[in-house]
Amino acid sequence: MNNRIETVVASIIEGVRNALTKNDVTFDEYRQGIKYLLANAASGELALLIDVFFNTTICNIENRTIGGSTSTLEGPYYLEDAPFVDGQLKLYQHDNGEPLILRGRVTDGDSRPVVGAVIDVWHSTPDGFYGGIHKDIPADCYRGKLTTNTDGRYHVRTTLPVPYQIPHEGPTGALLESMGRHSWRPAHVHYKVRKDGFHPLTTQAYFEGGAYVDSDCCEGVFTDNIKPEVRENGIRVVEYDFNLAPAASQAVKA
Ligand code: MBD
Ligand code: FE
């Protein structure tokens, strides 16, 4: 018997029962719901469906309990095995997206540099897909691991991501549509920052003034994540510093 599972699952069951009761859901609708979930799972979109509605909730909890920089959703397209890169993400074929530099500094709770932190960076292709997830673009494109230097700094060149429409031919898009919601996310860059002794930080950068920054279908945009449009010698730069909370604080709220 696992008490944590009992507590959380019992509470989820209660929440679902309340929703069914409140809306006088019919047996027919109940069966339709089951059919929908089975079809969604069969299509391989279950992680997407769950992330769209619930990943931000988990981030809000982390932001309340862990400290460090603001975390936001990982989404379903993180791949653990992205290659280490040196200064440049691999682009796909005739990429004529706008050049973009990502850089910044990783620090600890005392503003000291975190040296040797590993930062996974991943983002959409200039035509709105993810390497290794959609179409023909290989998994090592638009993804890579960076390591912070002796000053805690990182930098990498890539091309500007674009607003991202979550797969809308599938059951997740269909559900959003029948709810009268759109299926777009603002253009974003994902980051996952890790170093032994610290709580991992998963977050994203959004581009100030960009489409859907105010109406992300995943509700994952927090003010701290919105970065101004900065150019250096004509090239777009996103400067993003990350502050890591100690790993021990994971246990604080047990
Ligand atoms: C994404 O690219 C994403 O970042 C999230 C959170 C959900 C779906 C697709
Ligand atoms: Fe994404």
Side-chain angles (χ1 to χ4, degrees):
M1 155 90 179
N2 178 321
N3 278 325
R4 182 68 178 156
I5 292 179
E6 205 289 316
T7 307
V8 176
V9 175
S11 167
I12 289 172
I13 291 169
E14 186 190 345
V16 174
R17 284 180 180 159
N18 286 343
L20 299 175
T21 306
K22 182 170 132 191
N23 294 289
D24 288 336
V25 168
T26 66
F27 186 71
D28 200 43
E29 289 169 332
Y30 168 70
R31 281 287 173 227
Q32 252 180 273
I34 294 173
K35 237 175 99 181
Y36 173 81
L37 287 173
L38 289 171
N40 191 302
S43 78
E45 286 191 0
L46 207 44
L48 173 67
L49 178 77
I50 294 170
D51 279 353
V52 167
F53 294 114
F54 302 113
N55 195 337
T56 295
T57 305
I58 302 297
C59 296
N60 282 322
I61 296 165
E62 292 216 329
N63 288 333
R64 175 162 55 74
T65 55
I66 286 166
S69 295
T70 299
S71 136
T72 189
L73 62 197
E74 177 171 297
Y77 303 140
Y78 167 65
L79 298 179
E80 179 62 54
D81 294 329
F84 278 90
V85 296
D86 188 14
Q88 172 75 55
L89 289 191
K90 190 171 164 191
L91 311 178
Y92 184 61
Q93 291 184 3
H94 321 290
D95 182 336
N96 46 22
E98 189 179 347
L100 171 69
I101 293 169
L102 306 172
R103 69 174 186 219
R105 192 157 183 252
V106 182
T107 55
D108 67 12
D110 296 318
S111 307
R112 289 176 307 214
V114 176
V115 181
V118 173
I119 307 179
D120 270 277
V121 169
W122 70 105
H123 65 78
S124 81
T125 61
D127 54 351
F129 300 100
Y130 274 88
I133 305 294
H134 303 292
K135 304 212 297 196
D136 307 321
I137 306 160
D140 61 347
C141 290
Y142 308 96
R143 302 174 183 278
K145 287 181 166 65
L146 321 172
T147 311
T148 55
N149 69 13
T150 53
D151 217 13
R153 292 186 194 279
Y154 70 93
H155 72 100
V156 70
R157 277 181 73 119
T158 181
T159 51
L160 199 68
V162 294
Y164 177 82
Q165 185 170 33
I166 66 169
H168 59 287
E169 342 55 60
T172 306
L175 180 63
L176 287 170
E177 191 172 322
S178 23
M179 294 168 76
R181 300 187 186 186
H182 70 72
S183 48
W184 288 88
R185 303 211 61 227
H188 57 281
V189 178
H190 292 269
Y191 305 84
K192 185 191 274 292
V193 188
R194 283 178 290 188
K195 169 79 187 177
D196 282 350
F198 295 94
H199 194 278
L201 170 69
T202 302
T203 194
Q204 300 184 31
Y206 305 99
F207 301 87
E208 191 172 55
Y212 308 107
V213 168
D214 297 324
S215 63
D216 177 13
C217 70
C218 296
E219 300 167 67
V221 181
F222 304 116
T223 326
D224 289 353
N225 304 112
I226 305 173
K227 300 299 166 188
E229 184 171 335
V230 172
R231 272 166 214 278
E232 220 174 72
N233 306 317
I235 299 176
R236 293 281 298 257
V237 177
V238 169
E239 184 102 30
Y240 204 156
D241 295 340
F242 303 114
N243 185 247
L244 299 183
S249 62
Q250 278 178 94
V252 163
K253 256 214 91 192

